[in-house]
Amino acid sequence: MRTGELMDLAWRPVEDGGEGTRAVLGLAGPPGAGKSTLARALVDGLRRRHGPDAAAYVPLDGFHLSGAQLERLGLSSRKGSPPTFDVHGYAALLRRLASRPAHDVYVPDFDRALDEPVAARHVVAPGVRLVVTEGNYLACDLPGWREAREWIDEVWYVDADAAERRRRLLERQLTGGRTEEEARAWVEGNDMPNAGVVEAARDSAWVKRVFHWSGHD
């Protein structure tokens, strides 16, 4: 699907809800499917169409556990798997955003250069009409993720060919400083197994749309 068409579909719950409505759109899908790129494209495009308060970006990746916590839990080698996120913190943020507080809400992100979460990189202003959030496990029927989904109006599943996802993931690891051997081992031993967990939720009843994103308008 093209970006312009997806923008129309994303904005529809806001229009249907009338003045003052805030909707939350969740983009699920396996690692490397293009979720974060699409989320940013939707937010940027909707701001151009409807003004600066039209949409805001809220990435799940800001709720990665820190390296110190992963080491404490013995999960350093499984970074990116479901238990390596603060899903309850993420659900609490979505609940807060859905309540439309009369003040800015600051949102964390993940810094790939630091390989750590960072606080307050994004902000959701009081007048924002659509929150676009994305993360691998938003469609999964797992503890914590179910609770987070209560605050999401629509869940879309962004898919991509497995070979293309591998290519993107390998490039990501190489850019992050791993050797080619290390990068391939990480993708096959961690990212692709995580993708299997995500793919099991692809056809869940609460997933409204499943599509490949073309990356074009």
Side-chain angles (χ1 to χ4, degrees):
M1 295 183 74
R2 293 180 175 271
T3 310
E5 181 182 359
L6 291 169
M7 286 167 57
D8 294 339
L9 293 170
W11 194 248
R12 191 172 294 167
V14 176
E15 290 183 325
D16 291 346
E19 187 66 29
T21 296
R22 172 178 285 174
V24 180
L25 169 64
L27 304 180
K35 299 181 300 299
S36 60
T37 305
L38 173 58
R40 292 186 181 97
L42 289 173
V43 169
D44 290 345
L46 289 169
R47 285 174 175 172
R48 287 193 298 270
R49 280 189 185 181
H50 302 289
D53 277 352
Y57 175 49
V58 174
L60 169 65
D61 276 359
F63 291 86
H64 267 288
L65 298 182
S66 68
Q69 296 303 327
L70 293 176
E71 185 175 352
R72 179 182 68 84
L73 295 168
L75 290 171
S76 298
S77 64
R78 294 294 294 122
K79 190 170 188 173
S81 63
T84 66
F85 290 90
D86 175 16
V87 64
H88 301 293
Y90 174 65
L93 174 66
L94 294 182
R95 181 175 66 248
R96 185 181 175 199
L97 291 173
S99 75
R100 297 203 66 179
H103 55 77
D104 289 343
V105 176
Y106 294 97
V107 175
D109 202 352
F110 188 80
D111 191 304
R112 295 196 181 279
L114 297 174
D115 201 31
E116 290 281 1
V118 293
R121 178 167 284 176
H122 305 284
V123 61
V124 180
V128 163
R129 304 291 303 283
L130 177 68
V131 172
V132 182
T133 187
E134 52 83 18
N136 294 345
Y137 305 106
L138 302 192
C140 291
D141 191 24
L142 297 171
W145 306 98
R146 300 185 198 108
E147 288 74 16
R149 202 163 48 247
E150 290 178 12
W151 307 102
I152 298 175
D153 295 285
E154 290 189 8
V155 176
W156 297 357
Y157 189 101
V158 186
D159 211 347
D161 178 75
E164 175 62 14
R165 288 192 280 111
R166 277 191 174 88
R167 184 193 66 76
R168 293 173 183 172
L169 292 167
L170 180 61
E171 184 177 298
R172 182 184 298 175
Q173 295 303 318
L174 291 171
T175 301
R178 295 182 190 271
T179 66
E180 185 165 349
E181 183 179 358
E182 290 169 339
R184 290 189 183 280
W186 182 267
V187 169
E188 296 303 324
N190 192 60
D191 288 339
M192 299 312 288
N194 291 343
V197 175
V198 177
E199 288 165 344
R202 183 181 187 275
D203 297 320
S204 297
W206 45 83
V207 174
K208 183 161 187 176
R209 304 183 195 282
V210 178
F211 58 88
H212 284 63
W213 177 48
S214 66
H216 301 293
D217 291 336

